[in-house]
Structure formats: C-alpha cells, structure tokens
Amino acid sequence: MEAEALPCRRLPSPLPWGRLSAWLDCVCAVTFDLELGQAMELVYPHDYALTEKEKTSICYLAFPDSYSGSLGDTQFSFRFRQSGGQRRALFGEDFDYDGETPVSLQREPAHYFGYVYFRQVKDSSVKRGYFQKSLVLVSRLPYVNLFQSLLQLIAPEYFDKLDPCLEAVCSEIDQWPLPVPGQTLNLPVMGVVIQNLLPAPLVLPSATELDLFRCFQPVLIHVQMLWELMLLGEPLVVMAPSPSVASEMVLALTSCLAPLKYCCDYRPYFTIHDSELKEYTTRTQAPPSVILGVTNPFFIKMLQHWPHVLRLGELRMTGDLPKQVKVKKLAKLKTLDAKPGLYTAYKPFLHKDKGLIKRLLKGIHKKRSSEVQSALLRRHLLELTQSFIIPLEHFMASLMPLQRTITPWKNPPQIRPFRPEDFLKTLEHAGPQLTCVLKGDWMGLYRRFFKSPNFDGWYRYRHREMAHKLEALHLEAISEANIRAWMKDKSEVEVVDLVLKLREKLVRAKCHHLPVKEEALQQVGQHITTVMGALPEDLQAVLCHQ
C-alpha cells in the first residue's frame, strides 16, 4: 500500500453501482441494541435487497459468540447461505470472471462471505457502558487479504464519521476496474492505493492468501493429516479462543488443497444462533461434510459425536517452535475445559513427511520471515496435491474422444465414463510415486477420495470442461466444412434444421465462453448466411424474425 493524492473522477458504469457489485454485494453496519441485541443499523447501497434471514445471519455472525471482556478492535471472516433465490450481478454478462480464474477461487454462487471489523471500547455515554459495533463487507469473492486490508482503512473512519464516509468509499469502489484475473490492479480508496495481484492459474493470489505458517503454527506436525481430512471431505470442528483464530484456521484448511477446489461446505465462523445449527448438530444422522469454526465452549458438548475436533488454545512457545497440539482420543473430549488437541481416531494413509518439519524448524532457527515459511509450506502442500491429482488428470484426458473422430455433420462422440477400477490399474506405472517421495497407501486414499464431495466436484468440473472442448472442436470442424457440397442433396426441412442448430451452437459458444477461435465463429455465421440464401424468400423472412 502507498499513500497518494487521488482525483475523484467517476468512471462510467453501465448500471448504478455496477462496478461496486463486481467486488462487493453490500456493506453492513451492525450495532448492539439493549432491547433487540445485535441489530442491523445500515445496509449500503440502501436498495440492496437482503432477505430477513440473511440480515439475521449477518447480525449474529458479526459479533463474537461468547462474551469477551477484551477491548479494542478485532477482524475475522464468516460465510453464510444465500436465501431468497438467485440475484443477477449488475456488472454485465460480458465479464467472465470465473472463466479466467482458478476453480478454487471462483465467485460463490450460493453463499456470501462476510468480512468483519468489530470494535468494543468503554463508552460512558452508552447505557451498557460499551461501544460495540461491526462493519461488515459482504461479497461472493474469497479475497480475504484485500477485504481485511480495506476494512483496516475504512472501519475506524466509519466509526467516527458514519454514513457519509461509507457513501464516499462505495463511490470510490464503484470507480475501480473490474477484478480481471492475473492483473495487478491499483485500487484507490480514501487517499490510498491498494495494490493487489488477482489470482490467475500460475500467479500467486496475493488478494486471497493467508499467512499459512502463522495460521498452522500449533498444528505444523499434523499438517499432512489435516490435508488428508480436507481432501476426503471429513467433518471437522475447529474450536478456538477467538473468531479471528477460528476463521483464519478454517480458511487456511480449505486453501491447503489448492489448486483443487474444496467442494464441501465450510463456515469460518459459526455461532449457536445460526439457522443451520440443528442441521449440523443432529445425532440422528452422520455429521455432514463441513468445517465449522467456533468459539463458544457449548459446542464441545453439542458436537461430541463429530469424528474430528481441533481444539486450539492461546499460542504458546516451547523453545523456538510454537507448542504443538497432540492427537488425542475423542473419548477425552468431554469437559468444557478440554485441553488443546486434535481429537480424532483417524489413521493417515500416507507416512508423515519429516523433512518438511525439519525445513520449517531450520527456517525458525535462521529467523526466516513468516512469508518465506508460508511460501515453503504452501509449496509443499501444492506439490502434494498435484502429485495426487495429476494421475487423475491424465486418466481423465484419456477418456476424451480422438479429434479425428469428430466430423462436422454428426454429433460428436461421447466422453467415456470414469471407472475407478480402471484408474487404479494405472497407478503402478503412472501413480503419484513419479512426482512424490512420500510412501503409504495411495490406493486406499484414492478409494476413499472417490466417495467424497471433492471428487464429485472435481469430476463434474473436468467433465464439463471436456464437454465444452468437444463442442468447440465440433464447431471448428463445421467452420472448415464445405457447406455448399453438403447442401446439394438436402431438402428444405433439413436446411432449416441446420440453420436452427448452427444458431443454437453460436449462442451456446457465447453463453458458455467455449474455447473457439473468433474466425471459426465468424465462418459458422457465414455458413448460416449461405444456407439461408438458398431458401425461398418466405422461409428466409420467417427465420430472420426468429
């Protein structure tokens, strides 16, 4: 960040708050009312239509769940379900953010993120004796670093100057460029320029990355087990002393699978007032695939039946290394004052990588910065995930029909089905051992992975990507075909049918952003013009009006 005087020039936007909505859905202020408890004081823009259920969720999640006498400011994040149907984005259909972004960092279709700045200070002018208020940025983008940095600038100012400040900030954000992946953007706000590198497939996403080393300090020796639990979509509760520690740990855990998307539900911060409480705490069925970040000790009693509970305490140092939590039996998690630990009966499939711990310890002794340690840890997890996923990617690619089997006037052949047993047979010669030194039961890990929501999400995404590629190859084959030769012996009905089908293909190519060259699309459009020219004028008129 760098301070700089900025001209207040408004860039054109196709709709009111069009550019603002590319970054933020709305900004909320939540205060404590003696009669109502947490109450929504403000939503900006004023016309943003949050449902009552969404407002209630934001109000409860914007304040710490269990009373804390600590004064000052704290920041944390939460995530909650959208209710009340789909809302259209205002920034236009031509902006394809998700098409250019790594799948793990795409816009949330059915959930919101809430980024919170909470202040609690003594105030004798308030009946309760305390000023308690939160400013919440609500967005579908997982840009935790960007939005928490933004809050550090605007929240203190808002607490002093209230509404006019918020309106000015939203007007400035409405002048920002669209969040184009892979670019370094200068984002002016309140006389400061925030520089942020937005995520692209091969670029470090500084807008989203947490300080992984700091987040994982108490569990460094268990990082690999936690990686497996995330990969398999296992239910996990993170019990922490504060909302910031809870939310950062949950977000760090979900990010450790990158570039694979964590496809299960997760709540960086979850309270006893949440509308999904019964759904997650019922004992009539197995716990769902979700990670919950909580602070209220009451959850220890409510979630004793969950298979994995990570209890964190205040960070303490033992020598150079932060005190590491121990793996403990679930049966010991009975009292509200249960000690920090990873309570689980899970047995990892892979052997522990002792080299990673040695490298991190060496970094601590050499007083390496947290950023360098985080980069080392992230690279280790990235390589582990890639070693696991590359054999799956290669096998999936082998299910794609050969390009020579795609002809212009027949529907393209189908992608062959994914059969787990066929994949497992390839592991002996093309498994993770080619890129990873870790030993263990890789086959067992894959078998368990096939039953997880993460496999289902990965497979659906890759299958859709391949289906789009097939459509693109078919369009290119049509664009290169001799349309006049095809027309020679065709009836009017067949010609009209072709016009309608080619139009539909061009619409799909635009709507789904198919990977087709612009020249190929223009040539298909030319084919439509040629074919229509051979039809009687009355039929041409009918087709032109469709």
Side-chain angles (χ1 to χ4, degrees), residues 404-421:
R404 65 170 181 265
T405 63
I406 300 168
T407 56
W409 313 123
K410 287 183 180 177
N411 286 330
Q414 296 290 304
I415 299 165
R416 294 194 300 282
F418 185 104
R419 295 191 172 90
E421 291 306 318

Side-chain angles (χ1 to χ4, degrees), residues 61-73:
L61 289 164
F63 275 40
D65 187 17
S66 44
Y67 174 75
S68 170
S70 58
L71 301 176
D73 298 348

Side-chain angles (χ1 to χ4, degrees), residues 217-470:
Q217 276 192 101
V219 294
L220 287 173
I221 61 174
H222 306 303
V223 160
Q224 208 165 290
M225 182 195 285
L226 291 166
W227 175 85
E228 284 191 25
L229 293 176
M230 294 303 100
L231 183 71
L232 302 176
E234 286 288 310
L236 175 70
V237 186
V238 176
M239 296 186 174
S242 70
S244 52
V245 172
S247 61
E248 283 199 338
M249 178 60 83
V250 171
L251 291 172
L253 286 168
T254 59
S255 75
C256 74
L257 291 185
L260 189 66
K261 179 172 183 172
Y262 181 77
C263 295
C264 309
D265 197 1
Y266 61 99
R267 303 301 167 94
Y269 185 51
F270 190 77
T271 76
I272 56 172
H273 304 289
D274 202 288
S275 58
E276 277 94 51
L277 182 70
K278 286 184 181 176
E279 179 185 331
Y280 292 148
T281 56
T282 178
R283 292 175 184 248
T284 57
Q285 58 193 47
S289 291
V290 63
I291 314 176
L292 300 180
V294 303
T295 57
N296 196 321
F298 188 56
F299 277 108
I300 292 181
K301 190 174 181 181
M302 294 179 78
L303 301 174
Q304 276 185 9
H305 61 296
W306 276 47
H308 318 289
V309 177
L310 176 58
R311 181 77 196 264
L312 300 172
E314 297 294 344
L315 194 64
R316 295 210 314 271
M317 303 298 288
T318 51
D320 290 326
L321 188 68
K323 187 173 175 64
Q324 299 294 288
V325 302
K326 295 178 180 177
V327 174
K328 300 183 178 183
K329 292 178 181 177
L330 280 161
K332 292 187 176 180
L333 189 70
K334 286 183 178 177
T335 57
L336 294 184
D337 60 347
K339 291 181 179 178
L342 178 52
Y343 294 83
T344 180
Y346 181 80
K347 301 295 180 197
F349 286 91
L350 305 180
H351 301 162
K352 192 177 286 188
D353 185 353
K354 293 177 182 175
L356 171 68
I357 306 301
K358 285 179 182 175
R359 289 195 297 277
L360 291 171
L361 273 172
K362 188 176 179 182
I364 291 170
H365 293 148
K366 288 190 170 183
K367 293 186 167 45
R368 280 193 205 128
S369 69
S370 189
E371 289 84 359
V372 173
Q373 294 281 74
S374 282
L376 191 154
L377 190 52
R378 197 171 290 282
R379 178 165 183 169
H380 170 82
L381 291 166
L382 174 71
E383 288 173 355
L384 186 56
T385 303
Q386 285 180 326
S387 293
F388 182 83
I389 215 74
I390 284 170
L392 283 163
E393 295 281 359
H394 286 166
F395 181 75
M396 193 73 187
S398 73
L399 305 177
M400 182 82 165
L402 296 172
Q403 192 164 345
R404 65 170 181 265
T405 63
I406 300 168
T407 56
W409 313 123
K410 287 183 180 177
N411 286 330
Q414 296 290 304
I415 299 165
R416 294 194 300 282
F418 185 104
R419 295 191 172 90
E421 291 306 318
D422 290 345
F423 165 73
L424 293 172
K425 288 174 187 172
T426 68
L427 291 182
E428 187 179 350
H429 301 293
Q433 72 277 6
L434 297 181
T435 53
C436 185
V437 296
L438 283 184
K439 305 293 182 187
D441 183 9
W442 286 97
M443 196 170 288
L445 188 59
Y446 280 114
R447 286 188 191 278
R448 187 90 167 260
F449 177 67
F450 292 145
K451 298 173 185 174
S452 77
N454 288 327
F455 169 71
D456 185 61
W458 170 83
Y459 174 76
R460 285 172 187 269
Y461 179 79
R462 290 294 287 117
H463 193 276
R464 184 169 64 248
E465 208 174 44
M466 288 165 69
H468 285 172
K469 179 65 176 172
L470 264 181

Side-chain angles (χ1 to χ4, degrees), residues 44 47 66 76 81 166 168 258 296 308 315 355 381 500 521 533:
Y44 202 89
D47 58 352
S66 44
F76 58 95
R81 280 183 199 161
L166 215 52
N296 196 321
H308 318 289
L315 194 64
L381 291 166
L500 296 175
L521 295 176

